[in-house]
Amino acid sequence: MLCRLSRPRAVPAFAAEAPQKLAQDVKVQVNDALVQFPDAQPFVDENHKLQVPTRIVADKLGLQVQWEPAGSEIKVTLKNDKKTITMTTGDDSVDIDGKTTPSPDTIALVDGRVYAPFRLIADTFGIQTQWDGSNRIAILGLDGKYHAPAWYRQAKQAQAAPAFKKVISAKATAYTASPEENGGYASLDYMGNKLKLGTIAVDPSVIPLGSKVYIEGYNYDGLPAGGMYATATDIGGAIKGNHVDIFLPESPAKASNFGVQSVKISLLGS
């Protein structure tokens, strides 16, 4: 694990109060089971964020839900025995455990239903998340484990193998959200995004920031078996040359078991 450089926080841009539906063919899975939505369906909004019907997803996650009117808006509280989050439609802030903070991700009324950002729920309650792009399934690992998709799209035709712009051999280390490893910014990458599985720190002269890559060759039970897709959105003072630092959403003590490993990194083509 390596200490990252201090870096400025990005200023969030607040989302529109009523998200527009960009895509409506997304499914949601909790552990090994698909979530059934009888009427209101999840969708991807114009900011490419997944919005989900609040009540149904909260019930599947075992969260208590409380609703109350707030003038012309609706206030919703979700809680379990560890966390409580309160959100109001039309508001650009959320209250987590009694602390109010600005947030680009808030609930909204869409077609008469209250929708919440998938990522906001998952991050607030510390739930493991996966995104299966091939089958367009967002997976919540309530049990803290990785899960295969519970549904597969029928392939219309054989897909060509991904095109790679470059393949390099590199050494890989791991880091966590600990402030000691992140220059005082415990949960943000260099580009201002929340640290998550799939975030890597790179030397931009070798792997440009924003690059999509596929990493294979590591051996660690906290990462997807066989290989993983990742995005280069972070840097670090000790990350030089053919070296990547892989973010792990776990404790520094556990992440230290990753050590230094040799990996193959394929930069995906456009």
Side-chain angles (χ1 to χ4, degrees):
M1 294 179 291
L2 300 168
C3 182
R4 330 227 63 67
L5 285 171
S6 297
R7 52 193 184 266
R9 296 178 182 270
V11 178
F14 293 112
E17 292 181 4
Q20 300 300 307
K21 298 178 180 180
L22 184 66
Q24 303 181 65
D25 59 343
V26 180
K27 297 183 182 298
V28 176
Q29 177 179 327
V30 175
N31 294 339
D32 290 321
L34 283 179
V35 177
Q36 301 300 320
F37 297 94
D39 43 28
Q41 301 296 313
F43 67 89
V44 176
D45 67 18
E46 71 274 20
N47 295 311
H48 301 280
K49 295 182 178 180
L50 177 59
Q51 305 284 343
V52 295
T54 306
R55 164 68 75 179
I56 295 175
V57 172
D59 286 347
K60 292 297 182 181
L61 296 175
L63 302 175
Q64 299 178 45
V65 185
Q66 178 181 333
W67 310 80
E68 58 183 292
S72 60
E73 305 294 342
I74 298 176
K75 180 187 290 187
V76 179
T77 299
L78 306 179
K79 64 179 180 178
N80 60 14
D81 57 356
K82 296 181 179 179
K83 286 280 185 179
T84 299
I85 180 171
T86 299
M87 309 163 284
T88 302
T89 58
D91 197 350
D92 58 7
S93 65
V94 298
D95 184 295
I96 299 177
D97 293 335
K99 182 179 180 180
T100 300
T101 182
S103 173
D105 301 322
T106 55
I107 61 173
L109 274 173
V110 182
D111 299 333
R113 297 298 182 95
V114 176
Y115 278 76
F118 172 87
R119 179 62 66 179
L120 177 62
I121 295 177
D123 288 350
T124 298
F125 293 98
I127 301 171
Q128 176 69 56
T129 61
Q130 300 166 244
W131 169 251
D132 187 291
S134 298
N135 299 293
R136 295 183 65 77
I137 297 180
I139 304 173
L140 288 160
L142 190 58
D143 56 6
K145 300 178 181 179
Y146 291 94
H147 294 268
W151 179 87
Y152 291 88
R153 289 178 177 272
Q154 184 176 0
K156 294 182 179 180
Q157 58 185 20
Q159 296 285 328
F164 298 127
K165 292 191 292 186
K166 181 169 65 172
V167 178
I168 64 174
S169 296
K171 68 177 181 179
T173 50
Y175 70 107
T176 72
S178 169
E180 290 76 12
E181 298 177 51
N182 292 278
Y185 296 113
S187 61
L188 298 178
D189 64 22
Y190 178 74
M191 300 177 73
N193 304 305
K194 188 174 180 63
L195 291 171
K196 61 183 179 180
L197 188 67
T199 297
I200 58 171
V202 299
D203 180 341
S205 68
V206 177
I207 300 176
L209 281 171
S211 296
K212 305 289 186 181
V213 305
Y214 186 74
I215 305 173
E216 54 191 320
Y218 56 77
N219 180 19
Y220 189 73
D221 61 8
L223 294 174
M228 65 178 288
Y229 289 96
T231 306
T233 57
D234 211 353
I235 61 173
I239 311 302
K240 301 296 183 183
N242 288 19
H243 179 189
V244 297
D245 213 11
I246 301 174
F247 174 73
L248 297 177
E250 53 197 24
S251 70
K254 183 176 180 181
S256 66
N257 294 324
F258 186 93
V260 180
Q261 302 190 32
S262 296
V263 296
K264 182 174 77 172
I265 303 175
S266 303
L267 278 68
L268 276 62
S270 56

